[in-house]
Each structure stands twice: as C-alpha cells, then as structure tokens.
Amino acid sequence: MNIHPVIIAGGSGTRFWPASRVRCPKQFLRIISPNTMIEQTIERVRSLCPEKNLLIVSSEMHHSLMEDLVRGKNFIILEEPFGRNTAPAIGLAALYLKKSGAGDDPMIVLPADHYINDVAQFRNRLVTGCRLAKEDGAIVTVGIVPTRPETGYGYLHRSRTQKEINGTAIYRVGRFVEKPNQENALNYVTSGEYFWNGGIFIFTPSAILEEIKMHLPAIYQGLLRIESSLGKPEFSEILRSVYRDLPSVSIDYGVMEKTERPILAVPGDFGWSDVGSWNSVHQLREKEWDVAGNLVHGKGILMDTRSALLFNQSNQTLVTLGLKDIIIVSTDEVTLVADARRSQDMRMVIEELKKRGLEELL
Amino acid sequence: MNIHPVIIAGGSGTRFWPASRVRCPKQFLRIISPNTMIEQTIERVRSLCPEKNLLIVSSEMHHSLMEDLVRGKNFIILEEPFGRNTAPAIGLAALYLKKSGAGDDPMIVLPADHYINDVAQFRNRLVTGCRLAKEDGAIVTVGIVPTRPETGYGYLHRSRTQKEINGTAIYRVGRFVEKPNQENALNYVTSGEYFWNGGIFIFTPSAILEEIKMHLPAIYQGLLRIESSLGKPEFSEILRSVYRDLPSVSIDYGVMEKTERPILAVPGDFGWSDVGSWNSVHQLREKEWDVAGNLVHGKGILMDTRSALLFNQSNQTLVTLGLKDIIIVSTDEVTLVADARRSQDMRMVIEELKKRGLEELL
C-alpha cells in the first residue's frame, strides 16, 4: 500500500507569541522538544512510506524556514501564497497526488503542530485508517479517546460499531460537534460515545476531490484552473491568482459536516494534544520539571518559584523571585510575563498590540 | 555662615539589582525622577552655599559616571579607592575641609540616595542644624518624624527638649537604636519619643575629627598620614595605601553611639525615605500610577495588571497579562520578575548569583 502523508503546515497561530511570530509560527518552534513541531510530525510518519511520498503544504511566507528544515530531503513541498484554511490546502495536495498517479492511494492529512505520545500506536492507527480509505473508498478520521471534559476541542459523535480490524473497533461518525460548554463536555466524556476531533483525516485524493466538487464548488473550480498548470512555468503565477479569490473554509466545515459518504473513526488513545497554549506545553513536559514544578528553557534562575514556565530565547538571563503559576517568554524584542491561568488569552495581547500599531512585534 | 554640604556617594547597594550594578549603584539611577538620585541630592543643597563648598565623597570605581555628572561644576570630589563605610569617608571630608581653612564651619553629611519631599522644610532644618553645630560645637542630626512603625530603619531616642529655634524644638538624643522588631517599632512610634535615623549629620570638621581621634584612633592615624599628602602628587598613592588597611566602620556605630558630646536632633517631617527597595520606589511615585496602580518606566504594555512596577532599561518591550503586585526590571543582560512583597529579598538573589559564579551579572 502506497501511503501519502500530507502535513498541513501553513498555519500562523498567535498563541505562542512572542516565541511564535508571523514569520515563525508554532510549527517552527522547539517548544516540546529540541526539534521543531513540524520535524516531529515528519519523523512520526516517515517510516510509513518512501521519502518522496511525503507532502507538506506550507506557506510561501515561511519559504526559507521550510527550506532549512527539508534540505537534502525528497519531500514534496507545495507553498500556498495565502492562507485559506484547510479545505484549499487539502484540495491542492489531493490534486497534486492525483496528477502524480496516486489518485487511489490513501493520503493522511496531519496537522503539523500537534503532540503525540505513543507514536507506535499512532502509526498503527494510521495504517488501519489507510486500509479503510483504500479498500472502502471511505473518509476516515482518527477519533481521539478523550481523557478529560476539555472545552477547547471539537468532538465527534460516533454511532454504531462498523467493523473490527486487528482487535480495533471501527465506528461510524454520526456528527461533528463544535467546542462544547463545560456541561456538554462532561456529558460527552462520560457517555463514552464521543471522540476529540484531532484534525487527522485519511482518504484517497479521488474521494476528497469528489467531495470538494460536490460541497465546495468554488474551490473545485479553482483547483481545476491550477491543475492545468501543474509542472509548468506558469504554475506559481496561476496558483497565486486562483488562491487570492478562494474562500477560506475548513475541511471540517466544508466537507465533513456535509458529506453523505460514511465517515469512519479509528479510535486512538496514544496521548494527544493540540498544544494550544503555553500552559499545555508546561503540562506536556512534566518529566522535565524541577522539584518545584518549574520548566526552564534557556537562561533562567528561579528563586522561591513554583509551577513556572520560563521559555527564554534571548541572551538575557531571566531571574524570578517569589512567583507561582507564571509564564515568562523572552525573545530579543519582547518579554511576556503572564499568569499561567491566562495562557488562553494570548489573542487579547495580540489585539492590543495591533490596536497600538505595534505590528512589528507580531 | 559658610556651609559645606558633604554628600556620601561611595555606596554600592544591591537592592535595585539588576538596574543597579556594581559599576552603577543606586545613587546613579534615575528611579525616582528623570535625574539620578545624587543629582537630586546635590540640587537640594546647592542654594545653601557657593558651588565650590559642595564636597562629594565618591568611589574611584565610579570615576567616569561621576565625571559625567559634575562636568563644568566646581564641586570638590574626593574618590575613595575602597569602600570603608561612612566613618573614614566623613573623616576624609572633614580633614579636607579643615585643611582648606573650614575647620570651624558647619559640614552637613548627606547620604546621596535618599528621597525628600518637602525640600524647603528640609533646607530650613539643615540651616538650623548648621547654626547649632557652629555656635555650640554640637553634633547635630536631623531626626525624621516617623510616619509608620517601620522595622527597616534605625531609630533615635530623644530625651528632653534642649531649646527652641524659630519655633522648632531641638532635642537631646538619648541613644541610637538598631532596626527594631515590629512590636518595638510600634511602641517607638506611638510613644512620640523616637525619630528615624536618616543618616543626616551636621558638625564642624574640627569637632568630628576630635571624636574620630577619641573613638576611632586607627582611622585617625590613617587620616593623619593622608593629611600630609593633601594637595601633593603622592596623595592618591598614599590614600590608597592608607585606605587598604582602614577598618570598615559606620559613623553611627563608631562615633554617635559612643560620644560623650551632646547630640542634638532637629526634627524633620519633610517626607523622607531611604528608598530601600523597588517597592518603596513604587510607593513614592504614586502620583505617576495609572488607574490600576501600575508604574511603568520604559517600554511596557500591561493587560489586566494591577499594582505593578515595570522598570525597563532595555530595548525590549515588556508585556504583562493577568498580574498583580509584581516588579519587573529589565536591562540588556537581565530581566528580573519578582513578587512585590519580596522586594526586600534582593540580597538572596545576589547571593545565588555569586554561588553560581555569575559575578558578571552583578
């Protein structure tokens, strides 16, 4: 089976500001390990296929960062001129693969910036998903078994068991659920009928292109215009001209919530996180805490300090005295000091910077 | 009356680290106003005498900082090669003044790094003190009327009223009291019989030299060796050789607590602080607070932050989110983030840096 991992790496989040910047977003940060998140994502799936099968959809804006990361590798890199959410990115990758003769091979869509603990199980689930996608022409997602009533994630409601593969039950997905409130989240988790939506999808290029044609015709028309230029000198110019007018739509909203094709969920309980905030970085790296629960990256001296995350990318020394539950992130241009319980509120900070005309700090 | 203000500026405190450094201590900081603390101290007493009467005892280590400050002025600068506390510094100044023919003029000893609010009253009290010192040959101190049971200051116990000058009662000082505990401090303040010891002393050079001769003979012997070289090429070499072996003694301990000469206290309630911590800087600059009680110096953006002091000397932007009672001090080399209630504990930080061999940060 010829598998095609497709890593969606064009995002530009703000939740790790000031370590993440417009020109260096989360997937290029070394917040979880000495490698960048995108390198970790690549590493997890490399053994599933020949190097040349691995496709990364990146952003033109991060061209040189990406170039440094994949130097000497045979990965396929497609650079989007503008961010248009996941549906166009996945459509573009599917188009490329179909044109290369892989239209009926499974492609695995993977966010570039998530955390996975048990990589062996993760790979195993992906291979199961690929088989379903190839043999049944199905749309497959990996349903993350929830471990807490998280209100920050979307959920999948599963209906009946569809089949079993190597001891793993495969479910039909009933519906996609947006981020719930606390009460609903608790109900979902206790019911045992819900998965977290981890944004991992598996299908063949042919299948997803059919879905895009049906549910996102404007995007499909754009893809057709791009298709004719693939491998030709005018490709990049046409890509830019098409992308400029494409709507921004997520694959979840644009296809998954609308398709009449069955969606199958392969359950995964491999330890997953979307690494959505500094606080989650602190939690995920518990093994690296000192005795007082502090995590220190870079030059830092902590005195009478507990449960702190110091992420220091500058040449300064950070010194703390008498603090608790605090996040300090330092770069050459900015030092952020925040209450750890507020790490979800980075958007507020970004908005304030924009309001003050300090775009150069973003 | 020919008055000689003597500003003792050789100190090298650590309580304002990292803004204060070994090579740039508190008196050279602009923590209270756009001027340095020593400039403020000079400004307060300049009108009391001709420019050439003002004498500053500084440290050799801060030669160029001092040079920049007094460029074009006719102040007398005496540079100590080593810090030996206040008794040798005051003795050296007295020696210099006596040799210049001012042995029976009043000299006012002033710490270089204190805060005074009502400068008119302050000057008035100093002039009263000078009259007492000149006419009675007395040792005079300004007794600061306490406004709270502060445990961080030394106290003076006054005995009976000695006399009255222009409506100001002058007291005899009974004894000098070290920093008290909370209970004693409260008793002192409620008794009405205690002043804070602000380290401001007035006497004639002849009088203080006699006292040093009697109570600090080793220092007096050193001063005699220096005296013969005053104004000669070998002065600086002899000063160094004498200072190396001088004991470190404060004028309070070495003379004030031992003298049999009456000590008079001129009361002052002009709004005084020794500016002993970042927290006191925050308190003293209340007029500059924003509505949430924050004081910001340099580039800072505060969000949902209350009672914070940001003192930013670096080119970085400091950003805070969700904080309260916090002190952040940033230089090009260090950022300190501390609980405001711990601002008295800077010594702990300094000790830790020494323990880690990070003297270059001091």
Side-chain angles (χ1 to χ4, degrees):
Chain A
M1 188 167 48
N2 217 355
I3 293 175
H4 301 266
V6 172
I7 298 173
I8 305 297
S12 59
T14 55
R15 292 185 287 187
F16 289 90
W17 184 89
S20 68
R21 305 292 291 260
V22 171
R23 306 215 150 262
C24 183
K26 179 184 165 199
Q27 59 270 27
F28 295 102
L29 298 184
R30 300 163 203 280
I31 48 182
I32 291 292
S33 87
N35 290 326
T36 62
M37 301 205 74
I38 192 167
E39 285 173 302
Q40 293 185 286
T41 303
I42 292 169
E43 200 48 48
R44 277 184 214 118
V45 294
R46 276 202 61 165
S47 63
L48 297 177
C49 61
E51 197 172 278
K52 65 175 180 46
N53 278 22
L54 196 146
L55 191 156
I56 301 170
V57 184
S58 179
S59 162
E60 216 175 84
M61 204 199 302
H62 310 131
H63 177 79
S64 61
L65 280 173
M66 188 55 78
E67 203 171 41
D68 288 347
L69 280 185
V70 301
R71 201 181 303 283
K73 304 292 195 307
N74 283 315
F75 307 145
I76 306 150
I77 311 288
L78 296 176
E79 287 184 345
E80 295 181 291
F82 312 101
R84 290 291 183 259
N85 212 327
T86 50
I90 291 167
L92 182 66
L95 184 77
Y96 182 94
L97 292 174
K98 193 174 177 204
K99 188 87 172 181
S100 326
D104 296 316
D105 287 345
M107 62 185 270
I108 309 171
V109 173
L110 298 158
D113 55 1
H114 289 176
Y115 166 85
I116 280 148
N117 184 41
D118 180 351
V119 176
Q121 188 203 124
F122 172 70
R123 283 200 198 102
N124 180 284
R125 297 298 187 265
L126 293 184
V127 171
T128 299
C130 286
R131 197 172 310 161
L132 291 164
K134 170 125 183 115
E135 289 168 10
D136 304 3
I139 290 181
V140 180
T141 185
V142 176
I144 316 287
V145 179
T147 53
R148 59 179 189 277
E150 174 65 55
T151 56
Y153 296 151
Y155 285 71
L156 309 172
H157 186 218
R158 65 173 175 81
S159 54
R160 58 195 158 73
T161 311
Q162 183 77 358
K163 60 167 93 177
E164 200 169 292
I165 298 184
N166 298 337
T168 302
I170 310 298
Y171 298 91
R172 276 286 290 274
V173 173
R175 63 186 179 102
F176 281 68
V177 187
E178 300 275 317
K179 295 175 184 175
N181 61 25
Q182 190 69 48
E183 190 190 342
N184 286 339
L186 196 60
N187 289 338
Y188 293 170
V189 172
T190 49
S191 75
E193 293 179 0
Y194 287 79
F195 295 120
W196 286 336
N197 175 7
I200 305 168
F201 296 105
I202 310 172
F203 31 62
T204 63
S206 302
I208 195 66
L209 286 169
E210 276 173 36
E211 293 298 319
I212 290 174
K213 183 177 181 178
M214 184 165 309
H215 301 292
L216 298 166
I219 292 177
Y220 190 73
Q221 287 306 314
L223 291 175
L224 287 186
R225 280 184 59 203
I226 294 164
E227 185 178 21
S228 56
S229 75
L230 266 173
K232 293 186 187 158
E234 63 268 29
F235 170 69
S236 134
E237 194 189 325
I238 287 180
L239 188 71
R240 172 172 297 272
S241 124
V242 169
Y243 250 74
R244 183 175 286 116
D245 299 328
L246 283 187
S248 261
V249 189
S250 75
I251 199 76
D252 301 57
Y253 176 80
V255 172
M256 299 303 157
E257 295 180 14
K258 297 188 171 66
T259 182
E260 282 150 30
R261 205 183 280 249
I263 302 179
L264 302 179
V266 181
D269 57 349
F270 33 69
W272 173 89
S273 167
D274 77 344
V275 195
S277 67
W278 283 114
N279 216 20
S280 68
V281 168
H282 188 238
Q283 295 303 319
L284 288 170
R285 297 176 67 175
E286 187 175 348
K287 283 177 189 161
E288 298 164 65
W289 293 358
D290 67 18
V291 288
N294 301 305
L295 179 71
V296 181
H297 177 102
K299 287 196 276 186
I301 296 172
L302 284 70
M303 307 198 59
D304 290 346
T305 295
R306 286 182 293 148
S307 305
L309 168 63
L310 262 68
F311 194 84
N312 185 0
Q313 296 185 306
S314 76
N315 280 322
Q316 278 189 328
T317 301
L318 290 179
V319 180
T320 68
L321 174 64
L323 303 181
K324 184 166 175 280
D325 296 325
I326 201 134
I327 291 165
I328 306 179
V329 184
S330 190
T331 69
D332 287 337
E333 289 160 296
V334 177
T335 293
L336 168 77
V337 185
D339 186 312
R341 289 157 293 194
R342 299 295 298 275
S343 76
Q344 302 283 355
D345 297 340
M346 289 308 303
R347 185 173 297 273
M348 274 179 59
V349 176
I350 304 301
E351 291 309 315
E352 181 68 20
L353 291 173
K354 285 182 182 163
K355 218 171 74 184
R356 296 194 187 200
L358 295 170
E359 277 83 1
E360 76 272 14
L361 296 179
L362 298 181
Chain B
M1 187 166 50
N2 216 356
I3 293 175
H4 300 266
V6 171
I7 298 174
I8 305 298
S12 59
T14 55
R15 291 185 289 187
F16 289 89
W17 184 88
S20 68
R21 306 293 290 262
V22 172
R23 305 213 153 264
C24 183
K26 179 184 164 199
Q27 58 271 29
F28 295 101
L29 298 184
R30 300 162 203 279
I31 48 182
I32 291 291
S33 87
N35 290 326
T36 62
M37 301 205 72
I38 192 168
E39 285 173 303
Q40 293 185 287
T41 303
I42 292 169
E43 200 48 47
R44 275 183 216 118
V45 293
R46 274 200 63 165
S47 62
L48 296 178
C49 61
E51 198 173 274
K52 67 175 179 42
N53 276 24
L54 197 146
L55 191 157
I56 301 171
V57 184
S58 179
S59 162
E60 215 175 87
M61 202 198 304
H62 309 132
H63 177 78
S64 61
L65 280 173
M66 187 55 80
E67 206 172 39
D68 288 346
L69 280 185
V70 301
R71 199 181 302 285
K73 304 292 195 305
N74 283 316
F75 308 144
I76 306 150
I77 311 287
L78 296 175
E79 287 183 344
E80 296 181 291
F82 313 101
R84 290 292 182 258
N85 212 327
T86 49
I90 291 167
L92 183 65
L95 185 77
Y96 182 93
L97 291 175
K98 192 173 176 203
K99 189 86 173 181
S100 324
D104 296 316
D105 287 344
M107 61 186 270
I108 309 171
V109 172
L110 297 159
D113 55 0
H114 289 175
Y115 166 85
I116 280 149
N117 184 42
D118 180 351
V119 176
Q121 187 201 125
F122 172 70
R123 282 199 200 106
N124 179 284
R125 296 298 187 268
L126 294 183
V127 170
T128 299
C130 284
R131 197 172 310 164
L132 291 165
K134 169 121 184 123
E135 289 168 9
D136 304 3
I139 290 182
V140 180
T141 185
V142 176
I144 316 285
V145 179
T147 53
R148 60 180 189 275
E150 175 64 55
T151 56
Y153 296 151
Y155 285 72
L156 309 172
H157 185 218
R158 65 174 176 81
S159 53
R160 58 194 158 74
T161 311
Q162 183 78 358
K163 59 167 97 175
E164 200 168 295
I165 298 187
N166 298 338
T168 302
I170 309 298
Y171 297 93
R172 277 286 289 273
V173 173
R175 63 186 179 101
F176 281 67
V177 187
E178 299 275 315
K179 294 175 184 176
N181 61 24
Q182 190 67 49
E183 191 190 340
N184 286 340
L186 196 60
N187 288 339
Y188 293 171
V189 173
T190 49
S191 75
E193 294 180 359
Y194 287 79
F195 295 120
W196 284 338
N197 176 5
I200 304 167
F201 296 105
I202 309 171
F203 32 61
T204 64
S206 302
I208 195 67
L209 286 169
E210 275 173 36
E211 292 299 317
I212 291 173
K213 181 177 183 179
M214 183 164 310
H215 301 291
L216 297 166
I219 291 176
Y220 191 75
Q221 288 306 313
L223 291 175
L224 288 184
R225 279 185 60 205
I226 293 165
E227 185 178 20
S228 56
S229 76
L230 266 174
K232 294 185 186 162
E234 63 268 29
F235 170 68
S236 133
E237 193 188 328
I238 287 178
L239 188 72
R240 174 172 296 271
S241 126
V242 169
Y243 251 75
R244 182 176 285 114
D245 300 327
L246 282 188
S248 260
V249 189
S250 74
I251 199 76
D252 300 58
Y253 176 81
V255 172
M256 299 302 157
E257 295 180 15
K258 297 187 173 66
T259 183
E260 284 151 29
R261 203 183 281 248
I263 302 179
L264 301 180
V266 181
D269 58 350
F270 33 69
W272 173 90
S273 167
D274 78 344
V275 195
S277 67
W278 283 115
N279 216 19
S280 68
V281 169
H282 189 238
Q283 295 303 321
L284 289 171
R285 297 176 67 175
E286 187 175 348
K287 283 179 190 163
E288 298 164 65
W289 292 359
D290 68 17
V291 288
N294 302 305
L295 180 71
V296 180
H297 176 103
K299 286 196 277 187
I301 296 172
L302 285 70
M303 306 197 59
D304 290 346
T305 295
R306 286 182 293 150
S307 306
L309 169 63
L310 261 69
F311 195 84
N312 185 1
Q313 296 186 305
S314 76
N315 281 320
Q316 278 189 327
T317 301
L318 291 178
V319 181
T320 68
L321 175 64
L323 304 180
K324 186 169 175 278
D325 295 325
I326 201 134
I327 291 165
I328 306 179
V329 184
S330 191
T331 69
D332 287 337
E333 290 161 296
V334 177
T335 294
L336 167 76
V337 185
D339 187 311
R341 288 156 295 195
R342 299 295 297 275
S343 75
Q344 300 283 356
D345 297 340
M346 289 309 303
R347 186 174 297 273
M348 275 180 60
V349 176
I350 303 301
E351 291 309 316
E352 182 68 22
L353 292 172
K354 286 183 183 163
K355 218 172 77 185
R356 297 193 186 201
L358 294 170
E359 277 84 0
E360 76 272 15
L361 296 180
L362 297 181

